[in-house]
Each structure stands twice: as structure tokens, then as C-alpha cells.
């Protein structure tokens, strides 16, 4: 692989690595509710959720098909496991027992700094089998105050969160919500903030699921099954062809924008796009990348501001495919910026 491509992301991993999401947040912020939402609604992806205590989750008994001492198996393929002892050992055991595992979610305690958890994963042998997809921090919109931010753990949960999920928004006024967002932005610039009620939010905004085959979902399927993409191709002034969704795919208040071209990107231009043009309104982005500087196929993931790239051999026709999900996205501008990344 070309050295310049390596510089795009130093944490290059293999295509088979299992993505991990860490969920953090103070006690009472709604982590348990969110985890239950994930376990109940995750479909088509064999997901394992590691929790501190089974009893706190309150899984619907109708979903449970098998119960063991440290593991509960659900009818939709999800697994709920207890972190009994060392985290690394628990994950290694989980992977060894479940060979077809697609995704891992780790719950931290309310008084835990997520950074040591992330560093534990990156500093262990697990880095050869997994990749850290994102850190999601839940914020209690009703009880958020300066006291939480005065503690080092509270600030760390905000600073290291790739996406901040402002939960319980139904219990406060819009003015309170905006005040909380302003405080969070004082701590972390260009922050990605999602708002939710009872942790109910489309899963593909939080987790690396849907859109591309690395997550075992056919790329032609709709985002979260709400609508279908209709792609078309056409030429433009410089002889390069690109395609994008004829209709903007909407997930509640969120928009997805698709882009495709059969011409390679310039690595330098795409790096500039990521560093200087990609706005905080984009919460998730995924894609297949083809760079003129590299003979490898690159799978691109973005969660919040965390970027990772997996590389492999090309097994199909070379092209670039990208999907961006966010709020109030300027579709025309994004497509124009991506067209400018084509190596001309």
C-alpha cells in the first residue's frame, strides 16, 4: 500500500476486524435504555453487548431464547454478556465462542472515563481482531449542570465522545436544550450532537451498520429500510462520471447523501476534504475508496470525527462509493466537493 495512504489513517486494520462501540455517560443518562433499544431493534447484524449487570438491562423475555451464566442469547441474533472480570478477557472469550460475531458494544459504568477503555482495546492483542468504531457519550438533558463538567470524568466523557447523545429531551424546554448544547460546545469544538427521547434513535446514526457490505448489508438496500435509493449516472464537463441518489434519503430529521464515480480520487484532495470541508453536521459516513496513488481497495468509516480505513484487494470493478448521514446537509455542496476530489 502506498505510504501516503497510510498517513490518511495510522490505525489501518484488516477487513475482518470487528467494530467496537463504547457507550459512556453519567449515571441516569439513559445508557441502559439505549442498550435495550439496540438489543431489541438490531436486525441482520450479530451484535454482542457487554454490560456490567444483566439485571439492569431489563431485556424483553419474549426475545430471550437461551440463558447462560454470563450470556443471554436473543431471537434476533444479538447477545448480551456480563463483563465478569477483565474486559480484554471477556471480549476474547466472546470472539472465540461466537465465530460469526459482527459487532461489539461495551457499556462503561457511569463513573468511568472512556479513554482508558479505548486505550485498553488499542493496546492489547485485540487490535488485530477489532477496530474501535466510536465512543458515544450520553448526556442527561434534564439533569445536566456545571457540576458534571467540573469533574475530570465528566469532562473526559464529553471530550472523548465521538458523538454526544443528548437524551431525555422531552423533559426539558428547547431553551434548556440549546443552553446545554452551548455548554458542551465550550468544552469541545465542532462537536456532533444528537438529540433523543428514551434513547430512541436510528441505529445507523450510532453504529457502523447498514450501507456497505463490510457490515453484511447489501449496499442497494435502503438506509434503515425507510426508503430506497435510486441511482443514476451522467457525465459532466471534465469527462468524469458520477452518480448520486435521485432522492434524498431521510431518516426522521436526518438526511443521507450518496455519491459514486468510476474515476479515482486524489488522496491529497480527499484529505483536504476531510480536514477542511467536512462539517460537523455529518454524523456518519461510509464508503469504498479508490485512490490513484494506491492499488488497494479502501473501506472508509467515519463516526463523529473518528476516521478509520480498512484496506483489501479489489474484487470488483474499481470505483468510489460514499454515503453521508447528518442533519441539514448541503447536498449540492457535498457533491461538488467530492467531485473536486477526483484526480484530474
Amino acid at each position: 500500500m502506498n505510504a501516503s495512504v497510510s498517513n490518511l489513517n495510522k490505525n489501518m486494520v484488516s477487513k475482518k476486524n470487528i467494530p467496537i462501540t463504547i457507550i459512556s455517560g453519567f449515571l441516569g443518562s439513559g445508557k441502559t435504555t439505549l442498550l435495550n433499544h439496540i438489543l431489541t431493534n438490531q436486525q441482520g447484524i450479530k451484535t454482542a453487548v457487554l454490560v456490567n449487570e444483566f439485571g439492569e438491562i431489563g431485556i424483553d423475555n419474549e426475545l430471550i431464547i437461551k440463558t447462560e451464566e454470563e450470556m443471554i442469547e436473543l431471537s434476533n441474533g444479538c447477545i448480551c454478556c456480563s463483563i465478569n472480570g477483565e474486559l480484554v478477557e471477556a471480549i476474547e472469550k466472546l470472539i472465540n465462542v461466537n465465530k460469526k460475531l459482527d459487532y461489539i458494544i461495551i457499556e462503561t459504568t457511569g463513573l468511568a472515563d472512556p479513554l482508558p477503555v479505548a486505550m485498553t482495546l488499542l493496546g492489547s492483542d485485540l487490535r488485530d481482531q477489532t477496530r474501535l468504531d466510536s465512543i458515544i457519550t450520553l448526556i442527561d438533558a434534564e439533569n445536566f449542570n456545571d457540576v458534571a463538567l467540573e469533574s475530570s470524568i465528566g469532562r473526559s466523557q464529553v471530550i472523548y465522545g465521538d458523538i454526544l447523545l443528548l437524551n431525555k429531551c422531552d423533559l426539558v424546554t428547547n431553551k434548556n436544550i440549546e443552553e446545554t448544547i452551548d455548554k458542551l460546545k465550550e468544552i469541545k469544538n465542532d462537536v456532533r450532537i444528537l438529540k433523543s427521547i428514551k434513547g430512541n434513535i436510528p441505529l445507523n446514526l450510532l453504529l457502523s451498520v447498514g450501507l456497505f457490505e463490510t457490515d453484511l448489508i447489501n449496499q442497494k438496500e435502503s438506509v434503515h429500510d425507510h426508503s430506497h435509493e435510486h441511482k443514476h449516472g451522467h457525465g459532466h464537463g471534465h469527462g468524469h462520471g458520477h452518480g448520486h441518489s435521485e432522492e434524498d434519503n431521510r431518516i426522521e430529521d436526518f438526511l443521507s447523501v450518496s455519491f459514486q464515480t468510476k474515476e479515482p480520487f486524489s488522496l491529497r484532495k480527499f484529505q483536504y476534504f476531510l480536514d477542511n470541508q467536512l462539517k460537523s453536521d455529518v454524523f456518519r459516513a461510509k464508503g469504498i475508496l479508490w485512490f490513484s496513488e494506491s492499488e488497494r481497495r479502501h473501506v472508509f468509516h467515519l463516526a463523529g470525527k473518528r476516521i478509520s480505513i480498512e484496506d483489501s484487494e479489489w474484487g470488483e470493478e474499481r470505483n468510489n462509493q460514499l454515503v453521508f448521514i447528518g442533519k441539514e446537509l448541503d447536498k449540492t455542496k457535498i457533491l461538488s466537493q467530492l467531485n473536486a476530489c477526483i484526480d484530474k
Side-chain angles (χ1 to χ4, degrees):
M1 183 175 59
N2 187 286
S4 60
V5 178
S6 297
N7 293 332
L8 183 62
N9 179 21
K10 295 180 181 179
N11 188 26
M12 299 292 283
V13 292
S14 73
K15 184 179 178 180
K16 297 180 180 178
N17 285 12
I18 301 172
I20 294 180
T21 287
I22 297 171
I23 295 180
S24 72
F26 262 50
L27 295 170
S29 60
K31 295 191 301 297
T32 299
T33 303
L34 176 62
L35 290 171
N36 206 6
H37 170 59
I38 292 170
L39 284 169
T40 303
N41 294 285
Q42 184 71 291
Q43 300 292 336
I45 307 293
K46 193 173 182 62
T47 302
V49 176
L50 278 74
V51 300
N52 292 285
E53 292 292 339
F54 277 155
E56 296 178 357
I57 296 296
I59 300 170
D60 187 344
N61 288 331
E62 294 182 1
L63 286 174
I64 298 175
I65 60 174
K66 185 179 179 181
T67 302
E68 297 179 1
E69 184 179 352
E70 297 179 2
M71 188 178 300
I72 296 175
E73 187 174 345
L74 307 182
S75 58
N76 61 0
C78 290
I79 301 169
C80 187
C81 308
S82 175
I83 305 174
N84 188 8
E86 293 295 325
L87 176 62
V88 172
E89 292 178 7
I91 296 176
E92 288 176 341
K93 179 180 179 181
L94 188 63
I95 294 174
N96 290 333
V97 172
N98 301 275
K99 299 299 183 183
K100 295 184 179 180
L101 195 62
D102 299 318
Y103 208 97
I104 296 174
I105 298 170
I106 301 172
E107 173 210 25
T108 65
T109 65
L111 299 177
D113 183 337
L115 185 60
V117 179
M119 296 306 293
T120 296
L121 298 176
L122 297 173
S124 70
D125 291 338
L126 287 173
R127 65 179 178 273
D128 297 325
Q129 304 174 70
T130 64
R131 69 173 174 84
L132 180 58
D133 181 75
S134 58
I135 298 174
I136 298 170
T137 298
L138 271 79
I139 307 291
D140 184 345
E142 182 184 24
N143 297 306
F144 180 83
N145 53 44
D146 293 332
V147 176
L149 297 178
E150 288 173 0
S151 69
S152 60
I153 292 176
R155 293 183 69 87
S156 292
Q157 289 180 345
V158 173
I159 291 170
Y160 297 117
D162 299 305
I163 295 174
L164 305 185
L165 184 59
L166 192 57
N167 197 27
K168 304 183 182 180
C169 287
D170 56 323
L171 303 179
V172 295
T173 65
N174 289 333
K175 181 181 179 182
N176 293 142
I177 291 173
E178 293 306 316
E179 289 174 351
T180 299
I181 290 175
D182 288 341
K183 289 181 180 179
L184 293 172
K185 287 183 176 179
E186 289 177 4
I187 299 174
K188 185 173 184 176
N189 294 327
D190 206 25
V191 64
R192 266 78 168 173
I193 299 176
L194 293 172
K195 292 179 280 189
S196 70
I197 297 173
K198 296 182 179 179
N200 190 354
I201 197 160
L203 296 186
N204 58 318
L205 290 174
L206 298 177
L207 311 179
S208 181
V209 298
L211 306 181
F212 284 94
E213 93 293 346
T214 48
D215 303 308
L216 310 183
I217 294 292
N218 190 315
Q219 65 183 3
K220 294 181 181 178
E221 292 182 0
S222 62
V223 178
H224 208 62
D225 294 329
H226 282 262
S227 61
H228 292 277
E229 290 184 347
H230 303 280
K231 293 185 178 179
H232 70 282
H234 59 83
H236 56 87
H238 298 282
H240 299 289
H242 77 270
H244 55 78
S245 56
E246 182 72 33
E247 299 176 357
D248 294 338
N249 295 316
R250 292 192 178 274
I251 311 167
E252 296 182 1
D253 293 333
F254 295 88
L255 178 71
S256 70
V257 177
S258 301
F259 175 90
Q260 182 172 328
T261 178
K262 294 184 178 180
E263 299 293 333
F265 277 165
S266 158
L267 175 62
R268 178 182 58 80
K269 292 178 180 179
F270 187 69
Q271 181 73 64
Y272 180 84
F273 167 74
L274 294 179
D275 291 343
N276 301 287
Q277 296 178 324
L278 192 63
K279 302 298 183 183
S280 60
D281 293 334
V282 174
F283 292 90
R284 303 289 307 198
K286 302 191 68 181
I288 307 298
L289 295 176
W290 173 25
F291 295 115
S292 59
E293 296 90 340
S294 172
E295 290 298 314
R296 302 282 284 175
R297 172 182 183 273
H298 305 282
V299 182
F300 167 73
H301 302 265
L302 179 142
K305 297 184 75 173
R306 183 185 303 277
I307 294 172
S308 66
I309 292 181
E310 305 167 5
D311 69 312
S312 63
E313 299 290 340
W314 283 100
E316 71 273 11
E317 183 182 1
R318 299 187 181 190
N319 61 9
N320 281 296
Q321 303 174 47
L322 287 162
V323 178
F324 297 85
I325 303 177
K327 255 195 168 179
E328 300 179 358
L329 300 184
D330 187 334
K331 173 184 171 182
T332 302
K333 189 172 184 178
I334 290 175
L335 295 176
S336 174
Q337 291 168 339
L338 289 171
N339 269 313
C341 292
I342 294 173
D343 193 15
K344 300 174 182 178

